[in-house]
Structures are given as C-alpha cells and as structure tokens.
Amino acid sequence: MNKEKLKAKLLDWDKALQEDIRKYNALGDNRAYQFSLGCQSIVREVLKEMEEDHERRN
C-alpha cells in the first residue's frame, strides 16, 4: 500500500472512530468509549508521524 492510500485509509478510520466515540458517549458505554478514544489516538499519532516524516524528507 502506498503512502497516499494509507493516509486516506487512516483518515477514514479517524472519521469512523469519531462517530463511534460520539455514539458510545451518548449511550454511556464507557469501556467502548475509552477503547475508541485510544484507537483514534493511535491513528492520529500515525498520521502525525507520517506528516513529520514527509516534512523531514523535503
């Protein structure tokens, strides 16, 4: 998978996780809410590292 496809997939996951976070918060499902927040944190960290890597190479 190339970097652009990976970035697009990560952005899709970020959007889906944001929807899950809102849903689980509204339902009061703290365990699922916290899990989704953790997953989103990982996705955003990977996106950040990809962006920093891109800046270092340019």
Side-chain angles (χ1 to χ4, degrees), residues 2 6 13 15-17 19 23 28 37 43-44 48-50 52 55:
N2 68 32
L6 177 58
W13 286 342
K15 183 179 177 184
L17 286 164
E19 293 170 8
K23 176 178 73 175
L37 277 176
V43 167
R44 289 184 174 179
K48 178 181 162 190
E49 288 293 325
M50 287 177 68
E52 289 174 357
E55 290 174 5

Side-chain angles (χ1 to χ4, degrees), residues 13-56:
W13 286 342
D14 184 62
K15 183 179 177 184
L17 286 164
Q18 188 61 44
E19 293 170 8
D20 288 347
I21 289 165
R22 287 187 184 118
K23 176 178 73 175
Y24 295 135
N25 187 39
L27 293 173
D29 188 343
N30 194 47
R31 179 174 280 178
Y33 173 77
Q34 292 295 326
F35 179 78
S36 296
L37 277 176
C39 291
Q40 186 182 49
S41 175
I42 292 167
V43 167
R44 289 184 174 179
E45 187 64 28
V46 171
L47 285 165
K48 178 181 162 190
E49 288 293 325
M50 287 177 68
E51 186 63 34
E52 289 174 357
D53 183 54
H54 177 72
E55 290 174 5
R56 281 191 296 267

